[in-house]
Amino acid sequence: MNNVRNLLKKSGYSEKAIEYYLKRVNFGIIKNPSCYGIYTGPCGDTMEIYLRIKDTLILDAKFRAIGCAGSFVSGSALTEMIKKKTIDEAEGINREDVIAHLGGIPEAKIHCACLAIRTLRRAIKQYKNE
């Protein structure tokens, strides 16, 4: 575990991002979610986001990803950020908000925050279309 921590730290991840990665915060699925989104970014990383919503309030959020550490920490951060927010509030979150929540990520991994945002927007679109 210390080797992974040291590698992530040397790569430019914040302590908060490293903790999210090591603890796999909100990683998994929600059975029978209110909505679901999947998106594959230009780099090939793929993310899925599952939401449980009641009266436009996001009660729970989980994600799965195939990709790099940046995808995992961005998914963890975003799903933490949107819990107990309304759909409209969640839609207002952007990549800079995710990066700020994490305390920064390596510049080369900023696209991972975009991946999380785009996946969330797909899930919300599905929710609104049902």
Side-chain angles (χ1 to χ4, degrees):
M1 213 53 113
N2 277 340
N3 287 340
V4 172
R5 179 181 293 282
N6 290 337
L7 285 172
L8 292 172
K9 190 170 188 125
K10 285 180 185 176
S11 295
Y13 288 93
S14 69
E15 276 303 314
K16 187 173 193 177
I18 292 168
E19 285 303 309
Y20 276 158
Y21 182 79
L22 295 175
K23 292 180 179 178
R24 300 286 195 219
V25 174
N26 298 322
F27 184 79
I29 63 171
I30 295 174
K31 291 184 180 178
N32 302 312
S34 303
C35 60
Y36 161 85
I38 185 170
Y39 182 78
T40 300
C43 67
D45 289 5
T46 299
M47 186 174 291
E48 300 172 295
I49 291 183
Y50 303 81
L51 301 177
R52 177 162 289 121
I53 301 168
K54 183 175 182 184
D55 300 325
T56 76
L57 187 68
I58 299 171
L59 301 177
D60 197 11
K62 296 211 179 285
F63 81 100
R64 292 194 305 182
I66 299 170
C68 65
S71 294
F72 281 88
V73 302
S74 295
S76 288
L78 182 61
T79 52
E80 271 299 281
M81 293 170 70
I82 64 174
K83 287 181 183 179
K84 308 297 182 222
K85 291 206 182 315
T86 66
I87 291 293
D88 289 342
E89 290 170 329
E91 277 186 303
I93 295 171
N94 61 38
R95 75 176 186 171
E96 289 78 18
D97 298 325
V98 173
I99 294 164
H101 179 84
L102 287 166
I105 57 176
E107 180 126 354
K109 299 301 177 181
I110 290 174
H111 69 278
C112 297
C114 295
L115 173 71
I117 294 295
R118 288 181 180 133
T119 308
L120 172 65
R121 291 197 174 133
R122 289 215 172 165
I124 291 172
K125 183 178 180 182
Q126 183 200 47
Y127 179 78
K128 287 182 171 183
N129 288 337
E130 289 187 351

